[in-house]
Amino acid sequence: MPDAPQNVPNDPQPLRILIAEDETIIRLDLRDVLERSGHVVCAEARDGEEAVALAQAEQPELAILDVKMSGLDGIEAARRILDERPIPIVMLTAYGQDELVARAVEAGVFGYLVKPFRETDLLPAIQTARARHAELETLREEAESLSEALATRKVVERAKGLLMEREGLSENDAFVRLRRASQSSGRPLRVVAEALIATFDSA
């Protein structure tokens, strides 16, 4: 599981959130925690097909999807939702579902919550998804396609990791440094990230 960014601002602005979870008790727990945190649960789905339909109808600002649902699974539902309108998505997974997590990354999902989750895990997962979604949107401005943006993100992730390890930066600060270098040099983020990786590898 990816670690959450260490320096993500705690944005008090309430979000309109879609929940897709086929287990009623978990869905109610999610709603309770989200509403007590000030967010608005604008729709609840019991399967992937319903989640896609509700995402189109309700236009949520963020979605929380269970990875394993009957019929259309959470990953394919996320892919269809993101095709319509890119939003941050948090994926609910169980232990030992690393292969599914890898599929979710390919679909453009960057927030995870492992079941059984603790209440204190939910809001950081939402913040992580929002931060990484914002990063991906930045990369998409330079890329010609989502697949290219996702490929670029893998390089940027590695460069961020090196900056965090070698210079003690938070994940957010590492991305800011890469973006500033890109803006000041006029080179794409991917080129800057690749150059940084090459520099560290040869050191």
Side-chain angles (χ1 to χ4, degrees):
M1 294 285 171
D3 293 328
Q6 298 300 305
N7 196 27
V8 178
N10 185 9
D11 191 345
Q13 181 181 2
L15 296 173
R16 298 180 71 256
I17 298 177
L18 161 68
I19 299 172
E21 165 62 64
D22 55 6
E23 294 184 40
T24 304
I25 292 175
I26 295 177
R27 200 167 64 245
L28 291 174
D29 281 347
L30 283 168
R31 172 188 271 277
D32 179 57
V33 174
L34 290 168
E35 290 182 340
R36 281 192 285 111
S37 300
H39 297 297
V40 176
V41 176
C42 63
E44 295 181 45
R46 290 158 293 185
D47 57 49
E49 293 280 3
E50 190 176 14
V52 173
L54 286 170
Q56 292 173 341
E58 299 295 332
Q59 301 283 293
E61 295 165 294
L62 181 138
I64 300 175
L65 310 177
D66 185 21
V67 72
K68 297 283 277 186
M69 291 184 285
S70 59
L72 194 68
D73 70 17
I75 295 171
E76 184 56 34
R79 196 186 307 277
R80 295 188 190 183
I81 290 169
L82 292 170
D83 281 346
E84 289 284 327
R85 188 170 63 96
I87 59 171
I89 291 180
V90 175
M91 194 66 74
L92 288 170
T93 67
Y95 286 109
Q97 292 185 329
D98 292 347
E99 182 182 338
L100 293 174
V101 168
R103 279 183 56 213
V105 169
E106 291 173 5
V109 175
F110 300 114
Y112 307 96
L113 195 59
V114 179
K115 296 190 291 185
F117 67 89
R118 294 172 299 177
E119 182 172 329
T120 52
D121 295 331
L122 180 57
L123 296 184
I126 288 173
Q127 290 174 332
T128 298
R130 294 182 71 190
R132 291 181 171 161
H133 177 262
E135 286 183 15
L136 182 61
E137 289 303 293
T138 298
L139 299 179
R140 286 188 74 163
E141 291 173 7
E142 297 181 356
E144 294 182 1
S145 66
L146 176 59
S147 60
E148 184 182 328
L150 290 171
T152 296
R153 192 176 188 282
K154 289 180 182 178
V155 178
V156 171
E157 281 294 295
R158 187 170 172 217
K160 284 196 307 184
L162 287 167
L163 284 170
M164 292 161 66
E165 177 187 340
R166 306 286 180 90
E167 303 195 12
L169 299 179
S170 69
E171 182 172 349
N172 187 57
D173 287 344
F175 183 74
V176 168
R177 180 174 294 189
L178 288 169
R179 190 174 185 187
R180 282 179 183 158
S182 169
Q183 291 169 338
S184 63
S185 67
R187 296 184 297 168
L189 259 172
R190 182 170 186 163
V191 173
V192 170
E194 287 171 342
L196 183 140
I197 291 167
T199 300
F200 278 134
D201 284 349
S202 62

